[in-house]
Amino acid sequence: MYIFTVFSESENSNGEDQDSYGIMIFKDKILLKSVSSISYSEEKAYSFAEMCTRCQVSPVNFDDVLEDFLSG
């Protein structure tokens, strides 16, 4: 079973710190993939991670799903 989790990073943009959120994909407690800065919205990142876990998005297809998420 794939588990998608959110992590936060602090970015310095124009002299101001801003948190961005990325996604990590785990299977059997092994990190398979990590993608930084998918959103500045914590709620949006958590919603996306929950959907990916619920739908069991394959890491092979994750980039396409992420592209659709970012363009929508």
Side-chain angles (χ1 to χ4, degrees):
M1 180 172 180
Y2 298 114
I3 304 294
F4 293 76
T5 62
V6 174
F7 66 95
S8 66
E9 306 175 285
S10 187
E11 294 183 356
N12 190 324
S13 177
N14 297 327
E16 294 182 27
D17 285 337
Q18 183 173 15
D19 287 338
S20 67
Y21 299 89
I23 299 284
M24 294 184 293
I25 307 170
F26 291 91
K27 183 172 184 180
D28 300 325
K29 299 183 182 180
I30 297 170
L31 178 62
L32 301 177
K33 185 171 187 152
S34 176
V35 179
S36 298
S37 300
I38 67 158
S39 180
Y40 289 107
S41 166
E42 182 178 16
E43 181 180 329
K44 201 171 181 182
Y46 275 97
S47 177
F48 179 66
E50 189 277 328
M51 183 273 306
C52 288
T53 299
R54 185 180 66 248
C55 295
Q56 286 298 285
V57 173
S58 165
V60 173
N61 298 321
F62 179 76
D63 290 339
D64 291 330
V65 175
L66 178 59
E67 185 176 323
D68 289 345
F69 166 76
L70 294 175
S71 66

